[in-house]
Amino acid sequence: MIKLDAIINDKKLLDSIQKGVNQFNRSKAGKTKLNLKINEKGFRQPLGRITGDLDKFESALAASNARVIAFGASTAVIGGITKAFKALAVTTVQKHFADINRILNVSSGQFEKFSNELFNIGKKTATSFEDSSKAALEFARQGLGLNETLKRTADALTLVRLTGVSADKAVSALTATVNAFKTQSISTSDALNKFVAVETKFAVSARDLMDALGRVGSAAIDAKVDFNELNAMVAAVQQQTGRGGAVIGNALKTIFTRIQRKDTLKALEDYGIAVRDVEGATLPAMNILKQFAGTYKTLTDSNKAYLREQVAGVFQANILSAVVKDLNSNT
């Protein structure tokens, strides 16, 4: 008997052939028999792969859905934070303007113009609204009008940009300068322009000048030193000693204070240095220092040390030496 084996993987083809095989086997009555084998693995593998692919697709779909939900939630949170910041900014601006107008006490139309100009000043000087409003508020508290407040605010913010100091410090420095040299009619614009002029021509920064004048201004006025002379003195000492503006300002304050003392004036007179005018009033400090510088270079070392201590004390002697050296120079 002949036995034929055939392996078929296709189900439809298998059904068709199976019918033919059965008919063939019945007709031959055992002489020849066909045997049809089914490869079940061939059917299961594609189904398994399809099932696996479906599972993966379902997982990917779930993951993408989770991402969409997360993105939507994040967008909502970010949107909420943005709205909150906008609301906070608006509230902050309104609060600053309310504080300023409470002091200025002007009409809504006038204050609207003031507000627009304040924004323009901040834009021109590249400073934040917070700094602009701070400066304006501080000047408004000094009893200034709208125009003067805006003018001084612009000067202060320009100083902030040039020196890098805070708005509070710039306002304080300009205010102290203007108040100290009020008798000389120095405005904030004058002070700013002179700071910049000295900074441009000499090795001294506007910040050092500002720091120095903030410490010595009142003492300089008492010693009859004008604004230009003080600027020149600070610049000269800065170039020769390299000390900071604050240190120089404190040193000059000591010198100006001591040079008006009776014992110091008496010591200088003993060395032939004129310290009083014909009416008996004490000469300006710069006049005394110029005469002191001329006499100083003719003295012996011990006499120099004695007069240095009388005029500047022990700790500010190097600053006085720098002043004397500059006064004796050809510049």
Side-chain angles (χ1 to χ4, degrees), residues 29-91:
K31 294 179 180 180
T32 301
K33 188 176 182 181
L34 291 174
N35 184 21
L36 183 64
K37 291 185 178 180
I38 300 174
N39 187 358
E40 296 177 355
K41 183 179 180 181
F43 292 108
R44 288 195 302 267
Q45 282 185 344
L47 292 173
R49 285 195 297 269
I50 292 172
T51 303
D53 291 341
L54 287 173
D55 291 340
K56 292 179 181 178
F57 176 75
E58 185 179 357
S59 299
L61 186 61
S64 64
N65 187 46
R67 292 191 190 98
V68 171
I69 294 173
F71 177 76
S74 300
T75 304
V77 171
I78 293 172
I81 292 174
T82 303
K83 289 181 180 179
F85 273 119
K86 287 182 179 179
L88 178 61
V90 171
T91 302

Side-chain angles (χ1 to χ4, degrees), residues 285-327:
M286 284 302 297
N287 291 4
I288 297 175
L289 287 173
K290 287 176 182 178
Q291 295 186 63
F292 172 78
T295 302
Y296 185 81
K297 59 185 178 182
T298 66
L299 301 176
T300 62
D301 290 343
S302 59
N303 288 333
K304 287 180 179 179
Y306 169 72
L307 284 183
R308 273 202 312 270
E309 185 175 348
Q310 288 295 314
V311 175
V314 177
F315 301 106
Q316 312 303 340
N318 62 329
I319 301 297
L320 178 62
S321 296
V323 172
V324 169
K325 183 178 179 180
D326 185 76
L327 290 174

Side-chain angles (χ1 to χ4, degrees), residues 17-264:
I17 296 174
Q18 184 64 52
K19 292 179 180 179
V21 170
N22 294 336
Q23 291 176 0
F24 178 79
N25 289 337
R26 286 194 299 270
S27 65
K28 295 301 181 180
K31 294 179 180 180
T32 301
K33 188 176 182 181
L34 291 174
N35 184 21
L36 183 64
K37 291 185 178 180
I38 300 174
N39 187 358
E40 296 177 355
K41 183 179 180 181
F43 292 108
R44 288 195 302 267
Q45 282 185 344
L47 292 173
R49 285 195 297 269
I50 292 172
T51 303
D53 291 341
L54 287 173
D55 291 340
K56 292 179 181 178
F57 176 75
E58 185 179 357
S59 299
L61 186 61
S64 64
N65 187 46
R67 292 191 190 98
V68 171
I69 294 173
F71 177 76
S74 300
T75 304
V77 171
I78 293 172
I81 292 174
T82 303
K83 289 181 180 179
F85 273 119
K86 287 182 179 179
L88 178 61
V90 171
T91 302
T92 302
V93 171
Q94 291 175 344
K95 180 182 181 301
H96 284 303
F97 277 148
D99 291 339
I100 295 172
N101 196 27
R102 186 167 57 251
I103 297 172
L104 294 175
N105 193 24
V106 296
S107 67
S108 58
Q110 290 176 310
F111 191 73
E112 184 178 357
K113 293 180 181 179
F114 172 86
S115 303
N116 292 334
E117 188 60 31
L118 187 61
F119 276 118
N120 290 333
I121 290 173
K123 184 178 180 181
K124 290 177 182 178
T125 56
T127 51
S128 65
F129 172 76
E130 184 177 1
D131 285 342
S132 302
S133 60
K134 274 184 179 180
L137 180 61
E138 290 302 318
F139 284 125
R141 284 173 175 165
Q142 297 173 20
L144 304 174
L146 287 178
N147 293 333
E148 186 64 21
T149 297
L150 289 172
K151 178 176 171 292
R152 294 194 182 190
T153 298
D155 292 335
L157 295 181
T158 301
L159 194 59
V160 169
R161 186 181 62 182
L162 290 175
T163 62
V165 299
S166 65
D168 292 339
K169 187 172 180 61
V171 170
S172 176
L174 289 178
T175 300
T177 300
V178 170
N179 291 341
F181 296 93
K182 185 180 296 184
T183 57
Q184 300 176 25
S185 301
I186 297 294
S187 67
T188 54
S189 296
D190 293 332
L192 175 64
N193 292 335
K194 291 178 186 294
F195 288 157
V196 174
V198 174
E199 182 183 52
T200 303
K201 294 182 179 180
F202 302 97
V204 58
S205 68
R207 183 169 187 165
D208 283 325
L209 291 171
M210 183 177 66
D211 287 342
L213 265 67
R215 286 165 171 76
V216 70
S218 297
I221 291 298
D222 293 339
K224 303 174 185 177
V225 178
D226 68 28
F227 185 75
N228 291 332
E229 289 174 334
L230 186 58
N231 262 342
M233 187 176 292
V234 173
V237 174
Q238 166 75 23
Q239 287 190 126
Q240 293 190 42
T241 66
R243 305 300 296 273
V247 174
I248 294 173
N250 287 330
L252 292 179
K253 180 172 65 175
T254 299
I255 292 171
F256 292 152
T257 301
R258 292 178 67 91
I259 208 169
Q260 298 174 79
R261 288 166 45 176
K262 289 183 178 180
D263 55 342
T264 301

